[in-house]
Amino acid sequence: MSNVKKFLLTMIIGLVALILEFGFQQNRLAYWLVAIVGGVMTITMLMGMVKTLRSGKYGVDILAITAIIATLLVGEYWASLMVLIMLTGGDSLEDYAGHQASRELRALLDHSPQIAHRIDQETIKDLEVDAVQVGDLILVKPGELVPVDGRVIAGESLVDESSLTGESRPIEKKLNDEIMSGSVNGDGALRLKVIKAAKDSQYQTLVKLVKESEAKPAHFVRLADRYAVPFTAIAYVIGGVAWFVSKDPVRFAEVLVVASPCPLILAAPVALVAGMSRSSRNGIVVKTGTTIEKLARAKSIAFDKTGTLTEGKLSVEEIQVIASHYSEDELIKYAASGEQESSHILARSLVSYAKKQQLSLYPVTNLEEITGQGIEAQVNGKNVRVGKAAFAGSANELRTKQTAVYVAIDHHYIGSITFADIVRKESAETIKELNTLGIQKTIMLTGDHASIANTIAKEVGISEVHGECLPEEKIQVLNELKEVDRPAIMVGDGVNDAPALAVADVGIAMGAHGSSAASESADAVILKDDLSRVSTAVHLSQDTMRIAQQSVLIGIVICVILMLIASTGVIPALLGAALQEVIDTISILSALRARKDR
């Protein structure tokens, strides 16, 4: 039975008991109704508590269960009912605060390759991707997802692997090169020989990694549980001493009723719900209350590069002109004019740059795209080639791991244009703010080249870099973090980040333009395309937990004072249960402060 159903059942039983006692004067029947239902529910709680203790954890339920049993045994069943209502109500509220969003990665599965074009004696037959076998020949058309891992046997194309590896630039694939499933083919058709079945291919491996990561959650002690042991011990000592001195077991029950740990059960969940609401108003969806607790105590944070620390778009970084009779602006105009009808990422970036520079583009005729080489067109009456070094007539290709295109006009090599990923303007300030908030270690985990990763890491202030990482390697880095560096946060946006987001203590997805699979596997999602929301999430979580801790301590202090008074016998059990309502109200009002922006 769910906690919500238990709470509703308790409320109904309480209402029926009230009618029996005060409507029909059937107080004994009311007692047995409360005692039977309370006893059954207490037994189920005891079974759950035993499982909790066996797992090495310790919760606050044992004190409330003891209070219910003690009050029933001495005949104070109304006090028992009130404690039961508070206990089940608190558990229901905690379920609401900590309800984990679905982690089945439906989006990842829904967007996985479904159809493959198998080549049978030069005829093409469409079939489900699971039916493709190792050794089959398949065709991947321009713009399609690669359905299974394969090796190129014919054709050349630029392939986008950014969602799998994190590398922002397209990768050239030619004869004998291997291609991963989930990659997006560019402008050229490719024929592949299948080297892995669908279930063993890279895309499905990502799904498996995420599910395995979710099945092994890290151990974490919640705020309420950290106070449970000392608070329970204090209550038992005071109650035991009162019973020993007075020789009256009712005294023990009266102390435990006052000691019922409702501030622990209610104050922390209320503060967490309030903090989650506050985060939502700031563009951050936090899926669980436990996520807020972990964010508040985080000691390290890892970032993906492309689309997270950078904007995931290419910008013109350097323009080299070797022909003295052409300026940089003219080189850009001719190159961008030739590329303006292409949908390729480099073409879009080049045209976008020209427009930002307010350069008017020339009309284009006789445009031809040469697969794997570039484009050739008539621009402003001149023959223009934009593409690879050899295609443009350059004898020397630039020695850079960044993406570059080469330009020839009227069959003479004119110059080159180099592209780089754009670093978010807020990245450096976000890292600085996280350090101020107590994050001791900052890490970059990226599939991009180590040289590029190190350059960007130095620019934004990240101390540790792991380049050219596959999803499995990102998981390995996170798993090898020392205990002193935990809880650990992972921030990413792509399909390739989903396993790392799931295995981290807290996964944060950049959800504005990122992969829906990443958002599904993350514990928190940034709804706005703003990296600074990551430091905001940590700050809000720390503030929420400070208020939660204050609220819990306020309730505990008041409880201890009332326990000492109850030990003298001046507070009857029913009055003690009523006083608990006052303590609960004070704790809840204090916890609700977490909802307000200050």
Side-chain angles (χ1 to χ4, degrees):
M1 185 184 296
S2 68
N3 287 324
V4 173
K5 289 181 179 178
K6 288 179 183 177
F7 175 67
L8 293 174
L9 177 61
T10 306
M11 292 296 292
I12 292 171
I13 294 302
L15 181 61
V16 172
L18 281 171
I19 294 172
L20 287 173
E21 176 151 345
F22 297 103
F24 298 96
Q25 286 75 48
Q26 297 291 328
N27 59 325
R28 191 150 189 81
L29 189 57
Y31 167 77
W32 281 109
L33 178 63
V34 173
I36 292 171
V37 174
V40 171
M41 294 181 69
T42 302
I43 290 171
T44 61
M45 291 176 190
L46 278 170
M47 293 170 62
M49 187 183 69
V50 169
K51 291 181 181 179
T52 301
L53 291 172
R54 284 179 177 175
S55 67
K57 301 177 183 178
Y58 187 92
V60 298
D61 291 350
I62 185 171
L63 189 56
I65 291 171
T66 308
I68 294 169
I69 294 172
T71 48
L72 284 174
L73 290 175
V74 299
E76 297 286 350
Y77 60 96
W78 288 116
S80 176
L81 180 64
M82 293 187 72
V83 173
L84 195 59
I85 288 173
M86 285 302 101
L87 182 62
T88 55
D91 287 343
S92 299
L93 185 60
E94 191 166 12
D95 278 355
Y96 170 73
H99 181 64
Q100 181 71 22
S102 171
R103 289 194 171 202
E104 295 300 321
L105 286 186
R106 290 182 300 273
L108 183 58
L109 293 169
D110 290 344
H111 291 87
S112 61
Q114 303 292 322
I115 298 295
H117 311 301
R118 187 169 66 187
I119 303 171
D120 292 325
Q121 297 179 346
E122 295 307 313
T123 62
I124 297 175
K125 179 181 179 182
D126 289 351
L127 69 164
E128 292 185 2
V129 69
D130 290 334
V132 176
Q133 298 180 0
V134 175
D136 283 351
L137 303 183
I138 63 170
L139 173 69
V140 182
K141 299 176 182 179
E144 286 188 336
L145 277 174
V146 178
V148 291
D149 291 3
R151 181 178 289 108
V152 179
I153 60 170
E156 292 185 5
S157 185
L158 288 173
V159 175
D160 182 2
E161 296 181 342
S162 59
S163 65
L164 295 168
T165 66
E167 185 166 348
S168 53
R169 64 175 184 163
I171 307 298
E172 181 186 0
K173 297 294 182 180
K174 52 186 184 299
L175 186 65
N176 292 325
D177 285 344
E178 292 186 4
I179 299 183
M180 294 183 289
S181 64
S183 304
V184 181
N185 189 22
D187 299 325
L190 294 172
R191 292 194 176 201
L192 307 181
K193 184 175 183 178
V194 177
I195 59 176
K196 288 183 182 178
K199 62 183 179 65
D200 300 318
S201 291
Q202 182 66 22
Y203 207 81
Q204 294 302 324
T205 299
L206 288 175
V207 178
K208 292 177 187 176
L209 286 170
V210 172
K211 290 184 176 180
E212 288 172 4
S213 300
E214 289 171 350
K216 302 173 183 176
H219 175 69
F220 184 74
V221 181
R222 301 175 304 166
L223 171 68
D225 292 343
R226 293 201 300 274
Y227 287 106
V229 174
F231 183 66
T232 302
I234 290 171
Y236 282 161
V237 167
I238 295 175
V241 170
W243 186 359
F244 178 78
V245 172
S246 67
K247 312 299 181 185
D248 184 1
V250 174
R251 196 71 58 83
F252 179 73
E254 290 171 346
V255 170
L256 289 192
V257 168
V258 175
S260 180
C262 292
L264 294 178
I265 295 171
L266 292 175
V270 168
L272 294 175
V273 172
M276 290 164 69
S277 174
R278 183 180 173 193
S279 296
S280 295
R281 293 201 310 273
N282 284 272
I284 307 157
V285 174
V286 179
K287 296 181 180 179
T288 72
T290 304
T291 296
I292 287 183
E293 296 196 56
K294 291 179 179 179
L295 279 171
R297 295 166 58 190
K299 295 295 184 293
S300 63
I301 186 166
F303 293 90
D304 172 50
K305 179 184 75 68
T306 305
T308 303
L309 291 167
T310 69
E311 294 184 4
K313 296 182 291 186
L314 297 177
S315 66
V316 173
E317 182 182 49
E318 185 179 1
I319 304 168
Q320 291 186 355
V321 183
I322 65 167
S324 59
H325 51 288
Y326 283 98
S327 67
E328 289 186 0
D329 282 354
E330 287 177 311
L331 177 68
I332 290 291
K333 284 181 69 173
Y334 276 102
S337 297
E339 293 277 26
Q340 61 186 313
E341 294 183 14
S342 174
S343 60
H344 193 278
I345 182 173
L346 295 179
R348 296 197 307 269
S349 301
L350 194 54
V351 172
S352 176
Y353 177 80
K355 290 180 178 178
K356 286 181 180 178
Q357 299 301 311
Q358 297 182 334
L359 301 176
S360 300
L361 301 185
Y362 298 120
V364 179
T365 58
N366 300 329
L367 175 66
E368 182 183 3
E369 291 201 28
I370 293 86
T371 302
Q373 298 295 323
I375 64 99
E376 184 172 7
Q378 292 296 313
V379 179
N380 196 31
K382 299 179 183 292
N383 177 275
V384 174
R385 283 188 170 191
V386 184
K388 291 184 176 180
F391 180 66
S394 172
N396 297 309
E397 191 168 347
L398 294 176
R399 292 185 177 181
T400 176
K401 290 193 175 179
Q402 292 173 314
T403 303
V405 295
Y406 302 82
V407 184
I409 299 178
D410 286 339
H411 307 290
H412 295 288
Y413 175 59
I414 302 300
S416 63
I417 304 165
T418 304
F419 296 84
D421 210 353
I422 306 170
V423 176
R424 290 178 182 269
K425 60 181 182 297
E426 72 271 17
S427 291
E429 186 61 33
T430 299
I431 302 300
K432 184 179 178 181
E433 179 67 19
L434 287 167
N435 290 332
T436 303
L437 292 169
I439 301 293
Q440 300 167 355
K441 176 180 283 192
T442 52
I443 308 167
M444 181 191 292
L445 301 175
T446 177
D448 217 339
H449 288 289
S451 59
I452 298 174
N454 281 309
T455 300
I456 291 177
K458 186 176 181 181
E459 182 178 343
V460 302
I462 286 180
S463 56
E464 184 177 322
V465 178
H466 297 268
E468 302 177 50
C469 288
L470 291 173
E472 300 95 313
E473 293 167 325
K474 291 184 179 183
I475 288 177
Q476 184 179 355
V477 172
L478 291 170
N479 282 334
E480 290 177 354
L481 285 174
K482 298 178 181 178
E483 195 62 33
V484 71
D485 296 322
R486 293 189 178 277
I489 304 169
M490 173 69 197
V491 186
D493 76 314
V495 173
N496 64 303
D497 297 318
L501 292 172
V503 80
D505 297 310
V506 179
I508 300 180
M510 300 294 292
H513 299 295
S515 161
S516 56
S519 298
E520 283 286 338
S521 62
D523 301 293
V525 181
I526 307 296
L527 297 180
K528 299 182 180 179
D529 194 24
D530 181 1
L531 188 66
S532 68
R533 303 283 169 164
V534 173
S535 56
T536 300
V538 174
H539 167 68
L540 294 182
S541 297
Q542 290 179 351
D543 195 44
T544 297
M545 293 313 300
R546 178 182 59 81
I547 292 172
Q549 189 172 38
Q550 289 174 354
S551 305
V552 167
L553 289 174
I554 288 170
I556 286 176
V557 169
I558 298 174
C559 277
V560 170
I561 293 172
L562 288 177
M563 277 191 282
L564 292 171
I565 297 173
S567 68
T568 66
V570 299
I571 302 179
L574 185 56
L575 177 59
L579 287 174
Q580 264 297 320
E581 301 298 322
V582 177
I583 300 172
D584 295 342
T585 302
I586 294 171
S587 299
I588 289 171
L589 290 175
S590 175
L592 285 172
R593 293 179 295 138
R595 194 176 186 277
K596 296 181 180 179
D597 287 312
R598 283 174 294 282

